[in-house]
Amino acid sequence: MFKYLTKWWMVLLTIAGFATLSISNPSFIQSLEYNYYDSLQQAKEKEIVDQVVLVNIDEKAISYEGQYPWPRGSIAKYLQSGPDDSLYVLNIIYSEEDRFKEDHLLAEAMASKAVVLASAPTQQSTSGVGNFIGVATFGEQNANWLYNIPGLLYPIDSLSNYAFGIGGVLAVPDEPTGVVRRSPLVVKAAGNRYPSLALETLRVFSGEQSYQMKVGANGVEWIRMGRQDPITTNSFAEIPIAFWNQFESISITDPLPSGKVLIFGITAEGYANPVSTPTGAMYPHEVQAHLIQTVLSGYEIQIPDWQPIAELVLLILSSLGILVAVYVFPTIPAVIACLALIGSSYGVSQYFWNDSLIFVDATLSSLASLVVFAHASYNKYYITFQEKRQIEKQFAGYASPTVVRLLQENPSLIKDGMKREISICFSDLRGFTPLGESFGDDVKGLTKLMNGYMDAITEPVLHADGMIIKYIGDASMHIHNAPIEDKEHPKSAVQTGINMLRAVEKFNEQITAEGRPPIGMGAGINTGLGYLGEMGSTARHSYDVLGDSVSTAARIESKCKEYGCLLLVGGDTVQHCKNDFFFLKVDDLAVKGKTVGIEIYTVLDLNKDKYIKPAEMHEAMHMNYQKQNFDKAIKICNDLMECFEGQMAGYYKMWIERCEYMKTQDLPKDWNGVFIATSK
């Protein structure tokens, strides 16, 4: 089951899950959206407001006037002493007669001032409220989109008759956060449509006489005062409140300023309950001030109907982009692209907000992008980790740490395969029979010794960054120039072959000291094109190499014993590094299965400067052989028998036999000297 969880397409299920959350919009997602919306409001630079002033019934006023609520004559006193050209907005509910019998004093003060009174929603049904400015509606008359409340606590008639306007105060806390972010401009109560306190204040302030409300199939579209520009609302006649205003705030006992909208409310401790807003707790009349200023300033915070669709599209596009980036791009570009996509949601959101005050939520799409990035990255990391472990397990004993690391960083070198010129070396153990007999039934001891032999001949290969392709019993096959590039791979292959022979000599010193018979090694090297990659069945496969050059290398190695040489090298290899080693030509041989001959050489681990003359004689011997001067060739072989520290003695004995044989053959005059092998 776990292997399916790490598939790339499982990330699509994660994306689908977040898309479902975006569509269903559960409460915890709403909380994230609201918190982001609040952060945008908090980040807005504060704007100093000159027209609207908060007039507070504060601790100073309480200590001066006494316990609250005061006799209404106290409020009347401050109204009476205030300037005539200010608009007085009393965010205080006067739905009952004054217990101190001073309503007439407040009414007298209101008679000389422009005053707007507040009404409050109630769960009790009310009827027969006083005078109010109705809201004319056109459009979908039967559409019931307004907040419908049972009733309103309306100011008593003796006061409402003197008010320039009366408006309802209705804050709508968003669920589940309980924060006030919006407010309706019109509500429905007892069958009538009533304007809000903010709307009434604006009507009186602008000198308009009436309202119109446009209702469409999807709800309220806008509200207009007289000939003023329409105020765009949502379907429920609500507008979002801009909370980035900074008002002048004074005590009611201070001199009241002239020509302002004065909003009265209580701030003394224990008398008013602050309201939660995006920028912190505020007193109710302060919320009304922000609402009034929102409309006065012309700010229209828009939460359009297409917002959910835009957020869903943004979520899907950014998440799919991250999925593609993780699986297609290399690590660093992928991380850069993913970080850009994660931030793109906020970038789009910030653009709309700063440019047009359009709110597009970025939290869910960014969260989805982050989770998708984590999920996809983990999947890819896990798969990569497993590939690296598999590569290490598969190649740790067959390649140098450098090669293993290269394959781990780029597994495609194995999966995809390659076609490349390589140098191939086959090696085979000589003298196994007497060695095996020396152990008798001690299979464990023989196995341990053979492992030691393999370690000895493998170490030079790994040191040269060659790749062991396979062990076949006591034989081995390795290559150079794949998968790690080696521009001098023919030279590396020949030097590795020499080093393997040296390693066998040292190994023999160890085993002969233990009373075991010495062993030998024969190796054949060839250079040519090879096809490399994982090969085998679905259930069982390994890294391997194919090609004509591979089979030729195997045939060359098989001739070591016949030629009496330890290391044979194909002509193509020699052409690449003929000045780097001491090569002697061995034969022009058409190996079994071939009709075209190839040059075969042996390489001697000797200083060739000491053997210039014997090397020339060796070359002359081959020239005479090709010219069918077999007797002369035999004589030269006998003369060279003791040369080269005796390393070629076996070869010269074999060659003398070859010359004697060729003397018996009816050879054409244009014979090219190529010997056609009849066995592998």
Side-chain angles (χ1 to χ4, degrees), residues 6 244 265 316 333 344 346 356 361 392 403 446 456 550 628:
T6 57
W244 54 79
I316 293 174
S344 65
Y346 282 105
S356 308
D361 181 39
E392 184 176 13
V403 175
L446 178 60
V550 178
Q628 303 183 32

Side-chain angles (χ1 to χ4, degrees), residues 601-654:
Y601 294 79
T602 188
V603 58
L604 301 179
D605 190 10
L606 299 172
N607 185 349
K608 64 180 179 179
D609 292 337
K610 294 182 179 181
Y611 299 95
I612 295 176
K613 184 62 176 177
E616 292 175 349
M617 293 172 63
H618 182 90
E619 185 176 350
M621 180 271 293
H622 273 283
M623 291 178 62
N624 281 282
Y625 173 79
Q626 188 172 355
K627 292 178 180 180
Q628 303 183 32
N629 297 326
F630 298 116
D631 289 333
K632 194 169 183 179
I634 291 172
K635 181 180 184 306
I636 296 175
C637 286
N638 285 318
D639 293 340
L640 292 173
M641 196 68 68
E642 302 299 326
C643 293
F644 309 116
E645 298 183 3
Q647 293 185 28
M648 297 294 291
Y651 169 76
Y652 291 129
K653 291 178 182 179
M654 182 278 300

Side-chain angles (χ1 to χ4, degrees), residues 60-71:
K60 176 183 176 182
I62 295 294
S63 64
Y64 185 78
E65 294 289 345
Q67 184 179 6
Y68 192 83
W70 300 333

Side-chain angles (χ1 to χ4, degrees), residues 114-403:
V115 178
V116 178
L117 295 179
S119 61
T122 179
Q123 294 302 312
Q124 301 176 6
S125 297
T126 59
S127 61
V129 297
N131 297 326
F132 65 94
I133 303 297
V135 181
T137 304
F138 62 96
E140 299 282 340
Q141 296 294 324
N142 296 325
N144 187 15
W145 290 93
L146 299 178
Y147 280 95
N148 192 1
I149 55 180
L152 283 174
L153 295 176
Y154 219 70
I156 59 176
D157 291 343
S158 61
L159 298 179
S160 61
N161 290 336
Y162 291 95
F164 274 56
I166 302 171
V169 289
L170 178 61
V172 185
D174 288 315
E175 296 295 339
T177 60
V179 175
V180 173
R181 300 179 177 88
R182 53 201 166 89
S183 180
L185 296 182
V186 176
V187 297
K188 186 176 182 180
N192 296 312
R193 298 182 182 93
Y194 293 90
S196 68
L197 180 64
L199 195 61
E200 271 289 82
T201 300
L202 293 169
R203 183 190 63 79
V204 174
F205 183 77
S206 60
E208 297 293 343
Q209 299 297 318
S210 61
Y211 300 104
Q212 301 91 42
M213 180 171 66
K214 171 70 182 300
V215 179
N218 295 321
V220 179
E221 296 179 3
W222 50 258
I223 297 169
R224 182 170 59 197
M225 297 175 293
R227 297 180 180 180
Q228 302 290 322
D229 292 334
I231 303 170
T232 304
T233 71
N234 68 5
S235 301
F236 307 102
E238 295 175 317
I239 63 169
I241 306 173
F243 283 100
W244 54 79
N245 303 297
Q246 185 171 324
F247 303 102
E248 181 183 0
S249 183
I250 63 174
S251 172
I252 195 173
T253 60
D254 296 332
L256 300 180
S258 174
K260 307 293 184 182
V261 178
L262 306 177
I263 304 179
F264 288 68
I266 186 164
T267 61
E269 291 187 8
Y271 293 102
N273 294 320
V275 177
S276 294
T277 73
T279 56
M282 294 182 182
Y283 292 103
H285 69 301
E286 190 177 357
V287 174
Q288 292 300 317
H290 280 283
L291 177 57
I292 292 168
Q293 181 59 29
T294 298
V295 181
L296 273 176
S297 63
Y299 285 130
E300 290 188 8
I301 299 175
Q302 304 174 59
I303 306 177
D305 295 335
W306 49 261
Q307 179 211 26
I309 298 176
E311 293 171 0
L312 179 61
V313 171
L314 193 61
L315 183 153
I316 293 174
L317 290 180
S318 60
S319 298
L320 289 177
I322 286 173
L323 176 61
V324 171
V326 169
Y327 279 94
V328 174
F329 297 164
T331 300
I332 294 178
V335 170
I336 294 173
C338 290
L339 290 177
L341 287 169
I342 292 171
S344 65
S345 298
Y346 282 105
V348 170
S349 174
Q350 289 289 335
Y351 170 78
F352 280 111
W353 177 259
N354 294 327
D355 183 69
S356 308
L357 287 180
I358 296 175
F359 174 67
V360 176
D361 181 39
T363 53
L364 186 59
S365 57
S366 294
L367 178 62
S369 299
L370 188 61
V371 173
V372 167
F373 174 61
H375 188 182
S377 298
Y378 174 80
N379 283 5
K380 187 177 181 183
Y381 170 80
Y382 177 80
I383 293 171
T384 303
F385 174 73
Q386 289 296 98
E387 286 181 343
K388 288 182 177 181
R389 285 188 60 186
Q390 182 63 31
I391 289 171
E392 184 176 13
K393 180 179 179 181
Q394 182 177 356
F395 294 103
Y398 297 86
S400 69
T402 303
V403 175

